[in-house]
Amino acid sequence: MSTRTRILSDSNITFMDVIRWAITVIVSVIVFLPVLYAFSVSLRPRSEVFGPVHLIPYEPTIEPYLSFFADSSTYLVNSLLVATGVSMLILLIAIPGAYAFGRLEFKGRKGLFYAIVMIVLVPEVMLIVPVAQIVRWLHLFDTIAGLWLALLIGGMPIAIWILRDNFMRLPPNAEEAAMVYGCTQFSAFRKVVLPLATPAIITVAFLSFLSAWTEFLFTNMLSTPGGGWTAIVVLFSLMNPDHSPNWPLLMAASFIVSLPPIVFYGLIRRTLQEALNF
Amino acid sequence: MSETTKHLSAGETGNLSRLARARETYKENKFAYLMVLPTVLYLLLLVWFPWMQGLVMSFFNWPLFGPKTFIGLDNYTYLISWEVFRQSLVATLIYGTQTIGHLLLGTIMALIVWKQKRFVGVVSIIFLIPYVIPPLVTGTLFSYLLNPNVGPFFELMTEWGILAKPVYWLSDDFSAIAVVTLVGVWTWAPLVFLLVISALEGIPKQYYEVAEVFGANVWERFRYITFPQIKTTLLIALIIRIIWNLGKVSQPFVMTRGGPGYSTSMLGVLIYRLAWIQTDFGLAFATGVILSVISLVFISLFVYKFEQEEGEVSIA
């Protein structure tokens, strides 16, 4: 044992390094293998689901993907419209709000801020029925705009929280300096503070997109197959416990639904880590 | 007579000056109020108003097509003595234990990646995969992988002789809740990983250089430098996870639909089933209020901790 340690440390690799790599490999396998295997199933004909476990499909086919696209392209477009819209709306509301909470003095600031943090305590399921009534009352049932309204709810608190945190960390006199050079309060916010907060804004855009893209309970209740259904609801409906599901199709659908968030995440990974450092 | 007039006018001037003061406050803070206005509208119209409506409706008997009748606390007393509700509380509790797994695994993953010198990018991307895939999707993936008839997991387990036969977890109370809880650990440990690694990268390197000079060993460095620096993050992660476990239930719902029976119907799932399958909105809302009160306890902790941290930041 001790000789081995010495040999390892000679080549500048310590015992700890070995343990660390071992854990890394084990965790990576636990995390990655299920996803990889499911991916392999998504490339099989339906008959190949049964039988011995194998990672490489015997008769690889992209038929499951094609068939999901053929049936559900409208719903994928809906998902995209809903998630992008929610993300934009959240930014529109949360940026000025978080700015006020983070950098302006006004009466009732603290109370209001906690009223927002408290939203996390409201179980979303409880809001579905009353919000559905509001949406119906606005004649927005089963429309993309109706979903925008409803899905705003879940993404907002964390958006305001992250943005506020970032605004607070900016240099304290940034606006005053800008106003000395002739900026108004608003243009100081727009030209000086906003650019400095870009990483946080991108992060919030991503998290809001993610929350709307993955939202299921609200969407399922506020839309029908003929209108605002999104891809995630289709996925849920394919998982019907009364029938034996078409697993390759389900797996293909899963990967198609996951792709936009994964790509988005891959593009902004560095920014995300920077902005989430509390 | 004259006294009353005096009194009145005094009251009036009092009101006037209060109004004037309010106007003054508004003028001074006009910009701030304008900025915060959309947020306030969102809060009132989309959150608190619907929630209040839910609270009121929890005192009514409200079947889907019937008339609403006020029944006071009957929904609540019914829930408390209802076997299903008790089962749901137990399920909520068991499902909540996954948070321990999130914190342990997430922290270990973060500490490893943080010390890694090579492949940091690749490894952290792999570690974050479960977080980026929607929970309902990962629920679907595991429904297949752990399917006792066609899935690879039990096939391999029996082939290698680890299990005698597949576990039909969808029809067994205990294994159903165990499976959804473990899948929950797999899904959300990466969120803790993300939060902790972000915190770790914010620790100044000099701390460790100083520690090395004083001959601190691995454990001491963790105990006296790393841990204090990520403590707040861990607490935030803990509370966020507890609250979300309570409210965000689409993953277990897609895997088991709350069954068998009610054994995987956490409170969140129970509300959904009561409202949309049994269409008993009054009872669903009463359950929602109870769930809100439970969450409130953890939210208060969160706010308290947050305030504390705020204090530290302003001192530093």
Side-chain angles (χ1 to χ4, degrees):
Chain A
M1 188 67 200
S2 71
T3 36
R4 204 205 270 154
T5 322
R6 204 173 308 133
I7 291 165
L8 286 174
S9 66
D10 275 351
S11 54
N12 253 336
I13 300 171
T14 62
F15 183 60
M16 280 304 279
D17 283 331
V18 176
I19 293 186
R20 208 174 286 136
W21 274 109
I23 302 179
T24 307
V25 170
I26 293 170
V27 175
S28 302
V29 167
I30 295 175
V31 167
F32 197 56
L33 199 59
V35 179
L36 191 66
Y37 194 86
F39 183 62
S40 144
V41 173
S42 75
L43 293 170
R44 297 177 189 186
R46 205 174 169 184
S47 55
E48 212 188 304
V49 172
F50 303 93
V53 176
H54 54 290
L55 197 57
I56 315 252
Y58 301 139
E59 305 165 52
T61 166
I62 54 165
E63 204 278 321
Y65 287 87
L66 296 179
S67 114
F68 186 73
F69 269 121
D71 296 339
S72 309
S73 51
T74 343
Y75 304 127
L76 283 164
V77 173
N78 280 354
S79 280
L80 213 59
L81 291 175
V82 168
T84 315
V86 168
S87 179
M88 294 295 118
L89 277 173
I90 286 183
L91 286 179
L92 264 177
I93 299 175
I95 290 176
Y99 178 73
F101 287 126
R103 298 184 75 83
L104 300 175
E105 290 288 338
F106 62 95
K107 245 188 175 163
R109 185 173 80 155
K110 205 173 230 175
L112 255 173
F113 179 67
Y114 284 126
I116 288 168
V117 176
M118 301 276 271
I119 296 169
V120 203
L121 90 90
V122 179
E124 286 163 49
V125 250
M126 186 163 171
L127 292 178
I128 294 177
V129 179
V131 168
Q133 280 176 330
I134 295 175
V135 169
R136 271 175 200 279
W137 177 68
L138 293 169
H139 298 288
L140 290 176
F141 179 76
D142 207 15
T143 63
I144 304 286
L147 290 176
W148 286 345
L149 264 188
L151 302 192
L152 265 180
I153 299 171
M156 193 70 84
I158 208 125
I160 290 187
W161 182 33
I162 292 174
L163 285 169
R164 169 182 175 268
D165 185 69
N166 273 266
F167 284 138
M168 284 172 76
R169 271 192 270 155
L170 299 180
N173 301 322
E175 293 96 328
E176 278 166 42
M179 282 158 82
V180 169
Y181 288 99
C183 277
T184 62
Q185 228 175 345
F186 183 74
S187 64
F189 158 71
R190 198 169 59 89
K191 291 186 186 148
V192 179
V193 176
L194 273 192
L196 288 172
T198 313
I201 292 172
I202 294 174
T203 301
V204 166
F206 168 69
L207 292 176
S208 314
F209 182 91
L210 193 66
S211 83
W213 183 272
T214 60
E215 167 56 47
F216 158 72
L217 297 179
F218 265 97
T219 316
N220 191 26
M221 288 311 142
L222 289 175
S223 60
T224 66
W229 252 30
T230 60
I232 200 118
V233 186
V234 177
L235 185 64
F236 178 79
S237 72
L238 287 174
M239 254 303 274
N240 192 333
D242 302 329
H243 306 284
S244 162
N246 180 348
W247 290 112
L249 176 69
L250 256 175
M251 296 299 112
S254 297
F255 284 101
I256 292 172
V257 171
S258 312
L259 198 63
I262 291 178
V263 170
F264 199 165
Y265 169 74
L267 290 174
I268 64 148
R269 194 175 59 87
R270 291 245 155 260
T271 322
L272 198 67
Q273 258 179 31
E274 200 179 314
L276 285 181
N277 177 15
F278 296 116
Chain B
M1 184 67 195
S2 69
E3 277 219 13
T4 25
T5 352
K6 220 196 226 157
H7 186 74
L8 258 177
S9 67
E12 238 159 58
T13 43
N15 274 340
L16 264 178
S17 66
R18 204 175 303 153
L19 196 73
R21 241 181 295 140
R23 204 170 283 151
E24 198 68 9
T25 326
Y26 169 73
K27 252 190 207 149
E28 266 173 36
N29 303 322
K30 192 172 158 199
F31 180 62
Y33 285 133
L34 277 177
M35 296 288 267
V36 94
L37 183 70
T39 310
V40 171
L41 286 178
Y42 146 79
L43 249 187
L44 290 178
L45 298 179
L46 284 174
V47 183
W48 293 119
F49 173 67
W51 193 83
M52 287 301 169
Q53 230 183 340
L55 181 66
V56 170
M57 290 317 299
S58 74
F59 302 115
F60 282 79
N61 180 20
W62 185 15
L64 186 55
F65 296 110
K68 299 166 196 172
T69 39
F70 183 77
I71 52 167
L73 288 173
D74 281 8
N75 282 327
Y76 292 91
T77 47
Y78 179 76
L79 276 180
I80 287 168
S81 56
W82 193 26
E83 182 51 38
V84 165
F85 182 71
R86 229 169 300 158
Q87 215 177 341
S88 172
L89 278 179
V90 172
T92 311
L93 210 67
I94 299 177
Y95 192 65
T97 57
Q98 61 176 286
T99 305
I100 303 167
H102 298 151
L103 287 183
L104 272 177
L105 254 174
T107 310
I108 292 174
M109 285 154 83
L111 285 170
I112 285 172
V113 170
W114 180 53
K115 287 279 176 166
Q116 215 81 276
K117 288 168 199 86
R118 267 167 292 175
F119 307 117
V120 176
V122 180
V123 171
S124 50
I125 285 175
I126 291 180
F127 281 7
L128 269 162
I129 287 172
Y131 173 63
V132 188
I133 302 179
L136 193 134
V137 171
T138 46
T140 312
L141 294 187
F142 275 99
S143 293
Y144 166 72
L145 296 167
L146 302 175
N147 184 300
N149 296 317
V150 296
F153 180 77
F154 287 111
E155 173 99 35
L156 288 178
M157 286 292 135
T158 45
E159 203 179 292
W160 295 341
I162 299 171
L163 290 173
K165 56 178 172 35
V167 177
Y168 285 85
W169 54 273
L170 271 173
S171 50
D172 176 67
D173 286 2
F174 177 74
S175 29
I177 187 93
V179 165
V180 293
T181 306
L182 285 173
V183 172
V185 172
W186 185 89
T187 310
W188 286 292
L191 173 68
V192 178
F193 161 74
L194 181 65
L195 292 174
V196 174
I197 188 103
S198 306
L200 285 173
E201 267 160 21
I203 303 177
K205 290 272 177 290
Q206 299 96 291
Y207 289 12
Y208 294 96
E209 284 158 18
V210 173
E212 206 138 321
V213 170
F214 285 96
N217 63 28
V218 179
W219 167 247
E220 283 165 341
R221 267 177 285 171
F222 177 77
R223 173 72 186 76
Y224 296 106
I225 306 175
T226 315
F227 185 70
Q229 295 281 327
I230 60 172
K231 209 172 56 185
T232 314
T233 304
L234 283 178
L235 211 87
I236 290 177
L238 172 73
I239 299 165
I240 288 184
R241 276 313 326 158
I242 290 178
I243 295 162
W244 284 358
N245 282 343
L246 290 169
K248 298 191 191 280
V249 291
S250 59
Q251 185 186 68
F253 187 66
V254 75
M255 293 177 74
T256 65
R257 310 264 161 139
Y262 283 88
S263 58
T264 56
S265 291
M266 286 65 84
L267 286 173
V269 176
L270 185 68
I271 297 172
Y272 197 78
R273 289 178 75 175
L274 286 174
W276 300 107
I277 297 162
Q278 281 166 243
T279 58
D280 193 334
F281 294 118
L283 211 54
F285 285 139
T287 315
V289 172
I290 294 176
L291 182 52
S292 301
V293 171
I294 297 175
S295 311
L296 181 63
V297 175
F298 294 105
I299 292 280
S300 319
L301 273 174
F302 181 83
V303 170
Y304 171 73
K305 197 62 218 170
F306 199 67
E307 279 284 281
Q308 245 183 357
E309 189 206 9
E310 211 89 299
E312 278 166 32
V313 169
S314 63
I315 289 164

